[in-house]
Amino acid sequence: MRLAVNIDHIATIREARKAPEPEPVTAAALAELAGAEGITVHLRTDRRHIRERDVELLRQTVQTKLNVEMAATAEMVGIASRIRPDQVTLVPERPNELTTEGGLDVVAHRATVADVVRQLRDASIRVSLFIDPDPDQVQASRQAGADAIEFNTGPYATARPGERPAQLSKLADVARMAAHLEFEVLAGHGLTYFNVQPIARIAEIEELNIGHSIVARASLVGMERAVREMVALLVL
Ligand code: PXP
C-alpha cells in the first residue's frame, strides 16, 4: 500500500499569515524522505491554500508522483496542461465548503467529465476520478475514460462504529469491481491514525491519499522540538 501525502494544510498555515513559511515544497521533500510515494495538492478555484506557484515549484521538485486535485473546469484544465503534473484527480468543488464534501457525480456529468479526461490525457496526464463507492459511478468512470479511481472514504470515516462494517464492505466490493475494470484503485478522505488500517487491508486499493490527519499530527509531535529550538535561541 502506497501513501500519498496531501500537503494542502501546510499552505493553509502559510496563508493564515500570508507569510513565506511554512513552504509546501519543503514539506513535500520531507514527506518523500520519510517514505511518501506521492504528493497531493488541491488547487482550489479560490486559491485558499495551494497557489499556482506551489504547483509549478512542486512540478520541479517532487521526486515521486505529483497529483493535483482540481475541479473539472476550463481554467483548471489550462493550468494542468501547462504545468503537467503526473496525475490530476477531478473533484467536485463547492465555493464555501470546508473540504471536498463528496465524490464527483460522473453519472450526471458523464459528457463533461469525459471531455475533460480526454483533454488531460491528450496532455499526457493520468486522470483519476474522486467518486463515492457506488457501482454506477465506477461504470460511468470507465465510460469517461479515466485511468484511476479514488474512492471517497469520508462516509466510512464519519460512520458510527456500528455502521462502519457496512461502509467497509461497500468499499471492498467497489474496489474489487474497479480493479476488475482495470482501474488503478486509490482511496482517501478523512483517514486517520485510528481508522486507516481496515482500509489498508483492502487488497485492491493501491494507494491512500491522506492530508489533514498527518499535518495535524506533525503540528503536535513537532511542537516540543520547535519550542526547544526557540528557547535555545533566547539563552544569550
Ligand atoms: N482525497 C481527496 C479527493 C481530497 O479532496 C482530500 C482532501 O483534500 C483528501 C483525499 C485527503 O483528505 P484528508 O485531508 O481528510 O486526509
Side-chain angles (χ1 to χ4, degrees):
M1 175 69 70
R2 304 189 301 267
L3 172 66
V5 178
N6 179 317
I7 56 168
D8 289 349
H9 287 341
I10 298 295
T12 302
I13 297 172
R14 177 190 64 191
E15 295 304 311
R17 281 289 181 91
K18 303 280 179 218
E21 62 172 11
E23 170 58 65
V25 170
T26 310
L30 290 170
E32 287 185 318
L33 283 177
E37 294 186 72
I39 299 297
T40 295
V41 289
H42 185 170
L43 185 65
R44 296 190 67 102
T45 309
D46 63 10
R47 310 296 197 273
R48 72 170 71 150
H49 39 54
I50 292 294
R51 295 190 259 124
E52 260 166 85
R53 163 264 186 215
D54 300 324
V55 184
E56 283 162 6
L57 290 175
L58 289 165
R59 171 64 295 179
Q60 294 171 44
T61 57
V62 165
Q63 305 286 310
T64 54
K65 177 176 91 171
L66 177 61
N67 172 38
V68 180
E69 298 172 3
M70 54 174 57
T73 62
E75 184 206 7
M76 289 298 158
V77 171
I79 293 169
S81 304
R82 181 173 61 78
I83 301 179
R84 294 204 187 194
D86 300 296
Q87 179 176 292
V88 158
T89 301
L90 296 178
V91 298
E93 209 176 278
R94 209 170 53 76
N96 294 320
E97 65 188 2
L98 286 177
T99 180
T100 314
E101 288 174 341
L104 193 64
D105 191 346
V106 188
V107 174
H109 303 108
R110 201 177 310 223
T112 312
V113 174
D115 189 41
V116 170
V117 168
R118 188 187 44 73
Q119 291 179 59
L120 292 167
R121 295 191 83 233
D122 283 352
S124 305
I125 301 167
R126 277 179 72 76
V127 184
S128 177
L129 302 179
F130 180 65
I131 59 171
D132 290 329
D134 172 346
D136 291 342
Q137 297 293 345
V138 178
Q139 283 293 357
S141 301
R142 181 33 77 230
Q143 286 156 13
D147 301 286
I149 281 176
E150 180 179 341
F151 285 113
N152 178 14
T153 50
Y156 157 80
T158 53
R160 290 180 196 178
E163 295 162 358
R164 252 187 205 177
Q167 292 289 343
L168 204 51
S169 67
K170 197 195 277 190
L171 282 161
D173 289 349
V174 288
R176 205 171 307 117
M177 175 186 173
H180 191 68
L181 290 173
E182 297 187 349
F183 279 116
E184 183 185 8
V185 187
L186 324 173
H189 210 273
L191 296 177
T192 69
Y193 293 82
F194 304 104
N195 67 18
V196 73
Q197 286 196 312
I199 298 291
R201 285 192 198 100
I202 299 176
E204 288 81 7
I205 298 179
E206 298 170 56
E207 184 177 295
L208 298 178
N209 263 305
I210 307 181
H212 182 88
S213 193
I214 289 175
V215 176
R217 184 166 289 217
S219 74
L220 295 182
V221 300
M223 181 61 87
E224 187 180 340
R225 177 166 165 190
V227 172
R228 282 188 199 288
E229 288 177 5
M230 186 59 81
V231 168
L233 284 174
L234 304 184
V235 182
L236 301 173

